[in-house]
Amino acid sequence: EIEAKAMAEPKQTLVVKKGWIERLVPVLRAKGVRVLAPVNADGIVEFRSVESPGEMAQDYVNTRTPLKEVLFPRSEVILQYDKTPGADIEFRGAECETEPTVVTGARPCDLSGLGVLDAVFNWDYRDKFYSQRRTNTTFVGIACTRADRDCFCDSVGGGGGENDGSDLFVRPIRDGGALLEVMTERGE
């Protein structure tokens, strides 16, 4: 039997009015921060880079692609080499170029998996690509307001309002505003 764990206590809780996200995205973009958010592309909701809040999906249960792909892409160059006829092969490690990133709209089930990824990518060897992306990424989670037939977080001890893994957690309220729970220094 899996037991539900206690939610983390926020460092601070703020109430914001309707339109807060519309004001936040342009501020982040002006500071050179890449903003990833759920985007509905032909009925498939995935995390993608957005320039304005109008691109963000508003009515979705979850994304098709997991947060893992933000930190650990399906493919990337990690090693480069030069092969010259008659000479040794010269190897060099590729650089991990990351930019400050804010991921908004992540659901609690995805966020709860970040701790597992952290353990896997840092248990005996610190994966520099993963770790650099993780350090440069701030996660803004959002509580679920509904579920669908594929949701299973309750069956693994979680829930649609769990704030673990978030730097900032959003709880929508009926008037269009939200309660913002500041969970980490990055979330401030």
Side-chain angles (χ1 to χ4, degrees):
E1 183 175 313
I2 297 173
E3 291 183 29
K5 57 185 181 238
M7 282 193 294
E9 284 293 319
K11 295 173 75 169
Q12 182 180 10
T13 301
L14 308 165
V15 178
V16 291
K17 294 181 180 183
K18 184 177 182 175
W20 68 275
I21 193 75
E22 286 81 1
R23 293 185 297 276
L24 178 63
V25 173
V27 169
L28 292 171
R29 293 298 305 134
K31 291 181 177 183
V33 175
R34 178 176 71 144
V35 178
L36 298 178
V39 173
N40 189 336
D42 299 322
I44 297 171
V45 180
E46 298 180 311
F47 287 104
R48 293 192 180 175
S49 185
V50 296
E51 297 296 321
S52 72
E55 299 173 64
M56 297 167 55
Q58 298 300 316
D59 187 32
Y60 67 100
V61 173
N62 212 341
T63 58
R64 175 173 285 180
T65 53
L67 279 181
K68 177 176 104 173
E69 292 196 12
V70 171
L71 301 171
F72 186 65
R74 291 181 188 193
S75 66
E76 68 183 317
V77 175
I78 60 172
L79 178 70
Q80 297 175 327
Y81 67 93
D82 291 319
K83 182 178 178 187
T84 306
D88 289 337
I89 298 174
E90 183 181 321
F91 293 96
R92 62 189 179 282
E95 293 300 315
C96 179
E97 296 179 19
T98 63
E99 57 190 320
T101 301
V102 171
V103 177
T104 186
R107 296 297 188 189
C109 53
D110 246 352
L111 291 163
S112 67
L114 293 178
V116 174
L117 291 174
D118 290 345
V120 167
F121 286 103
N122 294 303
W123 71 280
D124 67 339
Y125 171 79
R126 188 166 181 83
D127 184 291
K128 75 176 186 178
F129 293 92
Y130 174 85
S131 296
Q132 188 169 338
R133 281 191 196 93
R134 183 72 161 102
T135 299
N136 289 333
T137 304
T138 300
F139 290 97
V140 179
I142 186 166
C144 298
T145 55
R146 63 187 171 94
D148 69 14
R149 64 182 174 80
D150 296 322
C151 290
F152 62 89
C153 59
D154 288 345
S155 63
V156 293
E162 295 284 332
N163 54 16
D164 288 345
S166 294
D167 295 300
L168 180 67
F169 194 73
V170 179
R171 295 184 187 279
I173 52 180
R174 288 191 179 133
D175 68 359
L179 295 176
L180 303 183
E181 296 177 352
V182 178
M183 306 303 295
T184 68
E185 285 184 29
R186 270 191 272 187
E188 293 175 353

